[in-house]
């Protein structure tokens, strides 16, 4: 039993290999990568449980920057300590970053060609459409929750979205707009806002 | 140095792969370090290359400043997520604070707002052209159905672009 346990533990080399393969396989974005992570660490090797993963992911939503890098750091730390963080990140990022760089370089060589321009004119609007879907995916759980809570919350949600978009549109620095919206979120959705006051008083 | 700082700032106040775009867009176009067209192009390349989509920033770094730019961008997007270790440490204490859910909802809604501005930024240059709106709409529909891989959608869009504009 003891022996089995140690054999089951991930070695640094193994972590590096798994993350490299995840990095290189995840064409087309975040959803694919998350799926691959779940498959490798939960289903194939059972180093993590589904609950572990959900908990780690929630923490990553709070962290700044790319959530996938954050979850790589957390999983790496859990499975291999500080060295685990390093191997996991290196495996995920370095090979794919290198390939990305070469593709960008190749693109710069050919971007002036007429055919390439035409292709781009097709791809860029498609990217915009995908981006629109990403925002819909983000908005949907929020709006559904608010819809269940009543029209006031739904209105508040829409107002906050519009407020933030307009602020960025008007060249308000993005982190300022984000922080203000976050604070407004606390004011709008924490009820009762002050514990000791009666409910009627602080309801607007 | 400022260049690195701008990428770093954009990432530290963002959540998720694309939400650093509005901030970068504000800063880089204001300094004329990257033309409008670079953004749409780097997003597209970022989508078709392997790795997390957030790596589009590396393409932007490369297009605006060469290999050094790409390297700086990579470092800038790698450091901020380390804050997650700090958050993991303090989260257990804050988890039950009453204002945390409100904060999370505010942030999530703000993220939706940033995505809408990203959408606007990418589609603005071609806004007078109904072909590109059609492509945008079809791509949205295909992605929405979840049956078609993103890469295939982009390839179809590339073919459409080639046929329409060559």
């Amino acid at each position: 039993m003891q022996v089995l346990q140690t054999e089951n533990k991930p070695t640094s080399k193994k972590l590096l290999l798994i993350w490299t393969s995840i990095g290189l396989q995840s064409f087309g974005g975040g959803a694919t990568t998350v799926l691959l992570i779940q498959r490798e660490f939960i289903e194939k090797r059972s180093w993590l449980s589904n609950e572990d993963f959900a908990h780690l992911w929630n923490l990553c939503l709070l962290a700044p920057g790319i959530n996938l890098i954050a979850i790589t750091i957390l999983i790496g730390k859990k499975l291999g300590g500080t060295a685990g963080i390093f191997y996991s990140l290196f495996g995920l990022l370095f090979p794919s970053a290198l390939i990305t760089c070469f593709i960008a370089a190749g693109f710069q060589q050919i971007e002036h060609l007429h055919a390439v321009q035409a292709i781009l004119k097709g791809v860029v609007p498609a990217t915009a459409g995908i981006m629109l879907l990403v925002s819909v995916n983000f908005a949907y759980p929020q709006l559904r929750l608010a819809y269940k809570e009543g029209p006031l919350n739904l209105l508040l949600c829409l107002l906050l979205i519009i407020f933030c978009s307009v602020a960025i549109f008007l060249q308000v620095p993005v982190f300022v707009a984000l922080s203000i919206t976050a604070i407004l979120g606390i004011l709008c959705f924490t009820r009762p806002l002050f514990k000791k006051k009666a409910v009627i008083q602080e309801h607007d | 140095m400022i260049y690195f700082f701008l990428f770093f700032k954009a990432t530290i106040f963002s959540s998720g792969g694309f939400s650093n775009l509005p901030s970068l867009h504000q800063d880089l176009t204001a300094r004329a370090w990257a033309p409008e067209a670079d953004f749409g192009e780097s997003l597209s390349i970022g989508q078709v290359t392997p790795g997390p989509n957030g790596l589009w920033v590396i393409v932007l770094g490369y297009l605006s400043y060469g290999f050094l730019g790409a390297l700086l961008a990579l470092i800038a997007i790698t450091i901020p997520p380390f804050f997650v270790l700090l958050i993991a440490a303090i989260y257990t204490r804050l988890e039950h604070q009453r204002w945390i859910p409100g904060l999370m909802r505010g942030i999530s809604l703000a993220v939706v707002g940033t995505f809408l501005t990203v959408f606007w930024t990418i589609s603005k240059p071609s806004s007078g052209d109904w072909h590109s709106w059609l492509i945008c709409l079809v791509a949205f529909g295909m992605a929405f159905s979840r049956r078609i891989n993103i890469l295939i959608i982009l390839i179809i869009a590339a073919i459409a672009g080639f046929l329409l504009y060559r």
Side-chain angles (χ1 to χ4, degrees):
Chain A
M1 201 58 202
Q2 281 287 334
V3 181
L4 257 178
Q5 281 281 326
T6 38
E7 267 179 8
N8 261 334
K9 277 230 159 150
T11 60
S12 307
K13 204 178 137 197
K14 211 158 190 187
L15 275 180
L16 182 68
L17 280 177
I18 295 172
W19 284 107
T20 305
S21 83
I22 291 177
L24 291 179
Q25 281 180 69
S26 51
F27 284 92
T32 327
T33 320
V34 174
L35 197 73
L36 287 167
I37 293 175
Q38 287 174 331
R39 232 178 254 164
E40 290 288 338
F41 290 98
I42 303 174
E43 289 164 28
K44 265 199 205 161
R45 297 189 171 78
S46 54
W47 287 337
L48 291 174
S49 71
N50 265 318
E51 289 74 28
D52 285 340
F53 186 80
H55 176 66
L56 295 181
W57 186 253
N58 283 340
L59 293 176
C60 294
L61 292 180
L62 287 166
I66 304 173
N67 296 336
L68 275 169
I69 296 183
I71 193 122
T72 310
I73 292 172
L74 285 180
I75 295 180
K77 183 172 185 235
K78 197 173 164 75
L79 299 179
T82 313
I85 297 179
F86 175 77
Y87 284 117
S88 306
L89 270 186
F90 189 84
L92 178 74
L93 291 178
F94 193 71
S96 34
L98 209 61
I99 293 176
T100 304
C101 235
F102 283 126
I103 292 180
F107 171 76
Q108 240 183 5
Q109 298 293 313
I110 56 164
E111 76 176 315
H112 56 275
L113 294 179
H114 193 66
V116 176
Q117 288 294 332
I119 288 173
L120 267 181
K121 273 184 141 177
V123 173
V124 170
T127 310
I130 291 165
M131 205 57 63
L132 192 62
L133 178 69
V134 173
S135 43
V136 170
N137 281 344
F138 268 95
Y140 179 69
Q142 290 296 322
L143 293 181
R144 197 181 50 174
L145 178 68
Y147 178 75
K148 278 183 191 157
E149 288 167 346
L152 175 67
N153 277 17
L154 190 59
L155 187 69
L156 283 173
C157 279
L158 293 174
L159 281 178
L160 283 185
I161 294 177
I162 294 168
F163 166 79
C164 189
S165 323
V166 171
I168 295 172
F169 201 65
L170 294 175
Q171 305 283 315
V172 175
V174 173
F175 71 91
V176 177
L178 268 175
S179 323
I180 294 176
T181 316
I183 293 169
L184 287 176
I186 297 181
L187 296 179
C188 291
F189 298 115
T190 310
R191 289 177 196 152
L193 192 55
F194 301 103
K195 228 175 194 166
K196 282 175 186 163
K197 287 185 187 173
V199 179
I200 306 158
Q201 269 182 321
E202 86 271 335
H203 211 281
D204 291 331
Chain B
M1 197 58 218
I2 300 174
Y3 186 84
F4 174 75
F5 175 73
L6 290 180
F7 277 81
F8 188 68
K9 185 188 89 177
T11 311
I12 212 162
F13 292 107
S14 73
S15 162
F18 298 109
S19 44
N20 48 7
L21 190 143
S23 175
L24 274 172
H25 184 255
Q26 275 179 358
D27 288 335
L28 291 184
T29 48
R31 289 182 171 72
W33 284 351
E36 196 80 47
D38 276 1
F39 286 88
E41 285 164 13
S42 20
L43 281 171
S44 307
I45 299 174
Q47 295 254 332
V48 294
T49 54
N53 271 350
L55 293 187
W56 75 271
V57 176
I58 294 175
V59 183
L60 184 65
Y62 182 85
L63 290 180
S64 55
Y65 210 74
F67 274 110
L68 184 61
L71 185 68
L72 289 177
L74 177 63
I75 298 170
I77 58 170
T78 312
I79 296 172
F82 271 94
F83 277 88
V84 78
L85 294 173
L86 190 70
I87 289 171
I90 58 173
Y91 183 75
T92 39
R93 273 196 290 168
L94 287 179
E95 201 170 3
H96 302 295
Q97 290 287 322
R98 290 163 53 256
W99 48 270
I100 286 284
L103 177 75
M104 292 306 293
R105 289 178 77 169
I107 292 176
S108 312
L109 293 171
V111 168
V112 176
T114 59
F115 275 114
L116 289 178
T117 59
V118 171
F119 166 71
W120 182 246
T121 305
I122 309 174
S123 47
K124 198 169 51 178
S126 51
S127 53
D129 175 4
W130 68 268
H131 287 299
S132 56
W133 283 114
L134 188 69
I135 294 175
C136 172
L137 211 67
V138 172
F140 175 80
M142 284 186 189
F144 188 75
S145 76
R146 287 178 196 282
R147 292 210 192 94
I148 303 162
N149 190 294
I150 300 286
L151 194 63
I152 296 173
I153 299 177
L154 291 175
I155 291 171
I156 295 173
I159 296 170
F162 183 73
L163 295 176
L164 282 171
Y165 299 107
R166 76 191 149 149

